[in-house]
Every structure is written in structure tokens, then in C-alpha cells.
Amino acid sequence: MTSDGTHDARGTHARPVPRPAPPGGSAEAARLVSVPPRPVRAPGAAPDAGAGGESFLGWLRTPRPQAAPGVWRFGHAPRPEQEPEVIPTRQLFSGALIAFLCGWLLCSLLWNGYLGGYWMWPWLVLAPDSWTNGGSRVVGGVASHLYVGAFFFGVFAAFARFGRWGEVWRRFGLPAWRREAAPPPPPPEEDPAEWPKLRAGGAGAAADRLAADARAGLMRDIDVARIARAWRSVRSGNSPLAVFTDAVVREGAAACPHPSGDRDLPARAARHDLATSQVRLGTTVDDPRNPYAYRGTGLALGPELIGTSLLAVGPAGSGKTGTVVWPLAEALCLQALAGRAAVVVVGAAGAGLGPGDDYDVVVRVGHPDSVYDLDLYGGTTDPDEAAAVLAEALVGDLVDPHPGADSRRSTTVLAQLLGPFHTVNGRFPSVPELRALLDGVPGPFGELRKALQEAGQEPMLRELDARERQLGHPGDPGAILADRIALLDRPAFAAFFDTSGQSTPFSLRALDHPVRVRIDLPERGHADASRILARLVLAQFTASAAAREDRSLFACLVLDDATGTVTPEAVRRVQRLRSANAGVVMTLRTLDDAPRPLRTPLLGAVGCRMALSGLTPWDGQDFADVWGKEWTEARDVTDRQIIAEEPLGKVVHALRRVITGRAPTARAVTVRQVERERWSASELAHAVPPGHAVLSLTDVRGEHAPPLLVDLRG
């Protein structure tokens, strides 16, 4: 039973790459390069073992309250929306001291009779005559002293309230130094370690086995997420309850495994909380420009935010890959192992997108040792669909960069060739065959025509005739398509894009399974071909994600460098992914890598926008426009010189000028509401420190967070 609750066997699209042994090195090299080993667990991650599983149980029982979008919920303590007024320490202590001295002075004056004896009137009225006339001296003396003590206590209580002694005690007394006691374990019906949902659903035996594994330290955080996913499949009716219960009772925490058999990644570089599907990227800076509720909190992303797509813009060296792309890719790989997601990561070879052991499929385009091939047509058998996707990849960047433009003519040209070829051969043409047909080479054209005539395919003959009539005419897109497909018809790619069935192609039709895929593009020496392939993967992903029947899996495409992939059709398709439980993560060095007419539609199509440090002012202006303005309180301070009219006033002013070096002035403060940009272009270009970014968030439900200054190193 797999993690998604089905009996899915591992197919051709989800087979893991053979994992070669790590390259050996000499002892001398190991001695000279003493690099510390990478930690297996990041701080805060749930351990997979421990003494009695106490550490894991502590992680499982940690509260995760509901919070605003982007807040790291693990152990989060909610803060008020508005910043409370905090009195400065110096002012707080001086006020408390003055209140104490005033209270002591008043009590001293009352005790010594300087203010009269009226304050003893309640005692004289209420006390018996024997106490006040000396009949019962002991009792009367004790009672009078108690009254005086209570009266003075009331005086000091009033001054303590005025002097804020309670706040002094809370901020600097024992409460500030006392450690909070660990909360008691929740009752069994609310304890997540006892799996109450399984018990309530009739899987008590499975809950007992999982609880025992948790206490014994045999369970990982990813096991919790994977089994919870399988249980949701049972509750939705996609899997039988008996099969789930038998699998869990038999295998315990290892039940419902991923098709690869892996229960975790070899190592983790970021902090993850699989109970909330979040990965922590950094810390929101304690800055006045950030809302008070976000200041000092962890900044985390999850599928509910990535489902609206993310665009990160920053120059080379700003940390896009190391602090944004790789943590998100790692989080999605963990989600895939839990049966919750399918991820495709695309980047240049050696871009730092994780080791091959983190993925089920690694496609190394142009590398002779690659186990997997890339399906040029996305696994479809429909010629029109294949033509549309291939046209977007080949000439999508040449289409008029206007939001309403498209590549219909190029799609028609490809469909006129792919349809007849598929009808005759039962497959689509390879790259050399397609290039020959687009060039109009007489031999392949004649053979295709003859085969269609023998098969009696009159409709396809008409398609081929139409293509032949257009050859060589001015404005024929076939010539441009032939030039672009020639970039893939190179010796380095001779073993790739095979359509004869002799290779193992990966198709994005596999997004119905929790698959982890990495595609390495041959950027060195084949930059134009890499951009074509990036557009091809993006077009296939958006088409496949929207056509899935089962959308319970979150599908995500991570593009480490989206240069050359922003086209009118791509912007439209990315905007439609939100309703398909899918998203795209893209990075750009600058918005100049996208056509000017498409920059605003691109920023509007994605829900999460990130501007990293080092942004140019013109890029910052686009972000400032899309983030809009807000009403803020502006304080205008005016200093006006005071002119003395009296001789004594002139002497005092002259003395103040000698002492302070300034003329006496009167300060006037004007407070008004003004509308200002949340982040101006100048602030984005010059006020974002290195290692920081400004990030705005929108989740799939429409809740949003304003632009936040985030420390990606925290």
C-alpha cells in the first residue's frame, strides 16, 4: 500500500535513479580538505530515534496555532495586531522611584501630624469607645496600628498604580527570569501521539501500533505526515479501511511507504515541520515597516502559499538558489515522500539543487550517463495538444510580447505534420525527422505522402497538402520552427528525445504520483537549447497539472532560472494553476529578463512576490507599483525661535544660548494621514541589507500578507 492510499506499483515514470557509490579520494586529499560532515538533522527537525521517543513526542505535541499567512506555526506564540505602548526603561524606573518617594513623603507627613488627623476619622467612628478611650489599650493599640498600616498600604497601592510598579516587576522581577514550566501532556482523547482520529474512525488497532512505535522512538516526522495522508485517503473512500488497518498493524510506522521505499532524505539543509507542511526560510525583521504581528516571527512557506506561485527576483549572488529555491525543493521532496506532492525541479547542471539521492528521477539532458530521457511531446497521443506544447517551447518567446498574443500559426504548422506522421507510424517524429519535415526535404515528404495514400487517410493528406503549399511563402512559420528545432538536433542530444521506445523517457503525465524529479539543463554551450527545454517543461507541466483527474496531490514546478520562459501563454497558464492545486516557483536575475509588456501581468499572475537585496531601482519600481500604497501617520515637526520681549527673558535666553549653543525654540508637531508606497523603488534598491528580502504573500484562500522585510539567514 503506497503513501497515497493506493496499491500503485512503481511505473516507468517513478523509478529511482541507480545511485552510484560516492567517488573515492585519496587519504592525502581527505587530510588536506577537512570539511566537517553535513548534519543529518537540522535544528528543530523531529528526530527519528531517541531514548523512549521523548524528543519525537515533544515535537508531535508542540502546539501549532493558526496564524497569519507565512508565520512559522511550530511553537508560535501569537502577538497582538497593534504594537502595545512600551515605556522606555529609564522613564519607567524614574516614574516608579518618584511615585515611591511621593508615597513615602505623604505617609511621613500624615504620621507626624503635619496634615492634621482627619485621616484617622474612620477609625474613631467605627472603633468601640473602649478602644479609643484607653479601656483596652492592647487591643486598641493593635487595632489602630492595623488601621494605620492598611491606610498607608492603600496610599502606596495608589502610588504603585501611578508609578507602574507592576510593569517594573513583570519586566525586571522574578517573572522575567522564571522559566516557563513544560505544559502537561494532553488528555488521551486530544493527544496526537495516541492518534485519536484513527480511534474515532474505527482503526483502534492501527492507532495502538502507531502509539507504541512513537513511544519507542521508531517513528519519524515524515511517517506521521505519510500515514495521515493515507488515512485521509481512507476517509474519502479511495482506500478500504481494512487494508489500511492491516498494513499499519503489520508494518507500524513504516506502513504506506513511498514507491521508492525511502522514509526520509539523506540529509536536510532547512528546518521543516511536516505536521503543517511548512519550511522555514528565515525570520521577519523587527522593523517598523513590518506589521507588529509579524516582527520577530519565523517566515515559512507551504503548499497553501506556493499554490499561488512564487516569483523571486534578485541579482546573481543574492541567495536565490541557496536560501529560497533549494529549501523549497527539499520541502517538496519531503512532501512527495509523505505522499502529498509531486515536484519537478529544473536548473542548470551543478546549480546546487540537491544530490541525486533526493530524487526518484534525474534527467541529465546532454549527459551520456543519464538514465532517463525527456519526452519531447509530454506523453500525449493527441497531435493538436503535442503541437500546442511544442510550439510554445520553440517559438513562444518570439510571439508578440502582449498579454493577448499567442502562437496559433506555429501550432497549426506543427499539427499539419505531427498528425499525418502519427497516423502512419503510431508515434511522433524524432528531432531529426521533425526537422526534415519542417525544412520540406522531398524524401521524407514523399514517403509520408505515399504511406498516407496507401492507408487511405484523406483527411491527413489534406493536412500535408496544406503544409506543402505554405512552404517557402513569405511569413511561413515553418522556417523559424526548423531553425529552432535545429538547436536540439545536435550531436550532444543525439541520444535524447527518442520516440522509438528504446529509451526510458520521463513524461510529466506522472504528476498523478508522488514523484520527485530533477531535470539538469545543458546551459554551458547550449544556452538557447536550455531555454527551449525550460519553456517545454513549463508548458508540459501547466498542461499536465490542469488535466489531472486526481488533484489531491500538490504539483509544483521549480525553475531555478526562468530567463526566456516568460511568454504570454506561460503567464496565462501560470495564473490558472491555482485552481488545479499546483504552483510554479520561478527566479529571475532581473525583470529585464521578461519582456516589458509582460512584467506587470507576470507580477499579477503570481501570488507570492520576493525582491532580494541588490535589486535595481527600475525593477524596484515594478514591485512598488504592484504592492501599492497604504495610509500612514506622518508627523511634521517645526521648530520656531522664541523672541523674548522682557529684559529678564532676554537674560535667560542669552544664558540658555551660552549653555546649549542653540537659540531657544518652541517645537510644534503636526500629525496627519498620508498615502505612501509600502516600499518605494529607492528603498528596495538601497535599504534592503544583504541576505534579506522583501516578500509579499497570498494563499489559495485569498488571505494575504503585506510586504515583509525578511532575514533569509535567520
Side-chain angles (χ1 to χ4, degrees):
M1 184 173 182
T2 60
S3 57
D4 58 353
T6 63
H7 299 281
D8 225 72
R10 190 184 308 169
T12 57
H13 300 304
R15 289 182 294 183
V17 177
R19 299 173 179 174
S26 63
E28 181 68 14
R31 185 181 63 82
L32 294 177
V33 185
S34 57
V35 180
R38 191 179 187 182
V40 177
R41 292 286 172 187
D48 55 358
E54 293 299 328
S55 180
F56 172 78
L57 292 177
W59 170 86
L60 191 60
R61 291 166 176 165
T62 299
R64 297 167 175 86
Q66 293 295 328
V71 173
W72 174 252
R73 292 172 52 192
F74 180 79
H76 172 63
R79 306 179 69 181
E81 292 293 333
Q82 300 295 330
E83 181 178 6
E85 182 181 358
V86 179
I87 302 174
T89 302
R90 181 178 179 181
Q91 180 180 348
L92 183 64
F93 273 107
S94 61
L97 179 61
I98 292 173
F100 172 77
L101 294 177
C102 291
W104 175 78
L105 177 62
L106 178 60
C107 292
S108 178
L109 294 175
L110 292 174
W111 178 260
N112 292 295
Y114 290 104
L115 299 180
Y118 63 89
W119 59 281
M120 293 292 295
W121 177 80
W123 158 255
L124 297 175
V125 172
L126 298 176
D129 294 339
S130 60
W131 292 5
T132 57
N133 295 331
S136 301
R137 295 182 178 180
V138 176
V139 177
V142 172
S144 64
H145 282 83
L146 289 176
Y147 172 78
V148 171
F151 188 88
F152 286 174
F153 178 81
V155 170
F156 274 100
F159 279 99
R161 185 177 181 86
F162 297 147
R164 297 184 176 90
W165 292 4
E167 186 172 353
V168 174
W169 175 254
R170 288 189 299 270
R171 289 172 57 177
F172 304 100
L174 289 179
W177 299 92
R178 185 182 303 162
R179 293 184 178 180
E180 295 186 2
E189 62 273 8
E190 299 178 2
D191 189 359
E194 296 295 332
W195 299 85
K197 294 183 179 180
L198 271 66
R199 299 182 188 277
D208 292 338
R209 174 62 191 273
L210 293 176
D213 284 2
R215 290 189 294 268
L218 303 177
M219 185 175 289
R220 300 177 174 90
D221 56 350
I222 199 169
D223 297 330
V224 176
R226 188 183 66 253
I227 295 173
R229 159 71 182 178
W231 176 248
R232 284 196 297 270
S233 179
V234 172
R235 300 299 295 171
S236 62
N238 296 328
S239 300
L241 175 61
V243 174
F244 170 82
T245 304
D246 292 342
V248 174
V249 171
R250 183 176 61 256
E251 302 177 16
C256 312
H258 184 263
S260 67
D262 295 338
R263 293 176 59 189
D264 204 347
L265 298 179
R268 299 187 187 184
R271 293 186 63 185
H272 303 272
D273 183 24
L274 293 176
T276 57
S277 303
Q278 287 186 319
V279 54
R280 180 164 178 161
L281 297 185
T283 304
T284 308
V285 179
D286 190 1
D287 187 271
R289 288 169 291 194
N290 288 335
Y292 178 74
Y294 279 94
R295 295 179 194 171
T297 63
L299 193 283
L301 297 182
E304 74 283 353
L305 292 170
I306 309 175
T308 62
S309 298
L310 168 68
L311 174 65
V313 181
S318 59
K320 299 187 299 298
T321 301
T323 60
V324 179
V325 174
W326 170 230
L328 288 176
E330 185 179 76
L332 291 167
C333 288
L334 289 171
Q335 294 296 321
L337 289 178
R340 295 178 174 180
V343 57
V344 180
V345 181
V346 181
L353 299 176
D357 291 348
D358 286 358
Y359 299 92
D360 303 313
V361 175
V362 177
V363 182
R364 306 171 67 186
V365 181
H367 198 285
D369 295 335
S370 179
V371 177
Y372 286 89
D373 193 1
L374 183 63
D375 193 335
L376 194 64
Y377 302 98
T380 183
T381 57
D382 184 2
D384 293 330
E385 181 182 350
V389 172
L390 191 56
E392 169 67 14
L394 294 177
V395 296
D397 59 327
L398 300 180
V399 177
D400 180 21
H402 187 274
D406 54 34
S407 55
R408 294 181 184 178
R409 293 187 61 196
S410 301
T411 301
T412 302
V413 169
L414 288 172
Q416 290 172 344
L417 296 175
L418 297 182
F421 192 95
H422 189 273
T423 301
V424 171
N425 299 282
R427 62 176 178 85
F428 289 120
S430 62
V431 170
E433 292 171 335
L434 181 59
R435 180 183 181 184
L437 292 174
L438 288 171
D439 283 333
V441 178
F445 245 92
E447 294 176 2
L448 184 57
R449 178 182 298 279
K450 181 179 178 181
L452 290 172
Q453 289 174 349
E454 293 176 353
Q457 295 288 339
E458 293 297 330
M460 292 301 169
L461 277 172
R462 288 196 298 269
E463 291 283 301
L464 197 62
D465 291 339
R467 174 85 287 268
E468 192 172 11
R469 287 194 301 269
Q470 296 171 6
L471 283 173
H473 286 201
D476 178 26
I480 301 177
L481 290 170
D483 291 341
R484 285 300 180 90
I485 201 68
L487 295 173
L488 302 180
D489 189 18
R490 305 299 303 161
F493 308 135
F496 286 84
F497 318 120
D498 180 67
T499 59
S500 62
Q502 299 179 0
S503 63
T504 309
F506 168 75
S507 169
L508 272 81
R509 294 281 177 175
L511 294 179
D512 289 332
H513 307 282
V515 64
R516 302 167 293 164
V517 184
R518 193 186 76 192
I519 301 177
D520 294 342
L521 301 179
E523 187 169 312
R524 177 178 296 181
H526 301 279
D528 293 334
S530 295
R531 294 189 180 96
I532 292 175
L533 295 175
R535 287 194 298 270
L536 176 67
V537 174
L538 177 59
Q540 291 183 358
F541 175 84
T542 53
S544 300
R548 292 182 301 165
E549 295 182 1
D550 181 13
R551 296 183 177 181
S552 61
L553 283 179
F554 176 71
C556 186
L557 172 66
V558 181
L559 281 173
D560 184 46
D561 185 5
T563 302
T565 63
V566 181
T567 65
E569 183 63 25
V571 172
R572 284 194 292 267
R573 294 189 177 190
V574 167
Q575 198 168 16
R576 292 194 292 264
L577 289 177
R578 187 178 306 187
S579 60
N581 194 22
V584 175
V585 176
M586 298 185 293
T587 68
L588 292 172
R589 294 184 180 90
T590 171
L591 287 176
D592 288 337
D593 292 337
R596 164 55 66 180
L598 294 179
R599 295 181 191 176
T600 301
L602 175 62
L603 290 172
V606 298
C608 303
R609 311 170 187 95
M610 177 182 288
L612 287 93
S613 61
L615 212 65
T616 59
W618 42 92
D619 283 347
Q621 186 60 53
D622 290 325
F623 278 98
D625 292 340
V626 75
W627 282 332
K629 301 179 180 181
E630 64 177 347
W631 289 98
T632 60
E633 186 180 87
R635 300 172 64 90
D636 296 331
V637 181
T638 304
D639 288 335
R640 178 179 58 84
Q641 184 176 356
I642 302 175
I643 305 299
E645 301 293 341
E646 301 295 332
L648 181 59
K650 293 181 179 180
V651 172
V652 173
H653 287 186
L655 182 61
R656 287 181 59 183
R657 187 180 296 108
V658 171
I659 295 175
T660 63
R662 299 178 182 178
T665 58
R667 174 171 294 183
V669 180
T670 303
V671 180
R672 54 194 177 93
Q673 294 289 328
V674 297
E675 192 177 20
R676 291 181 178 175
E677 292 177 324
R678 298 178 184 271
W679 279 84
S680 67
S682 178
E683 289 176 330
L684 290 172
H686 306 294
V688 180
H692 291 62
V694 180
L695 172 65
S696 66
L697 302 170
T698 304
D699 65 11
V700 293
R701 297 181 301 273
E703 298 182 13
H704 60 86
L708 306 170
L709 180 61
V710 180
D711 184 1
L712 299 177
R713 304 167 301 182

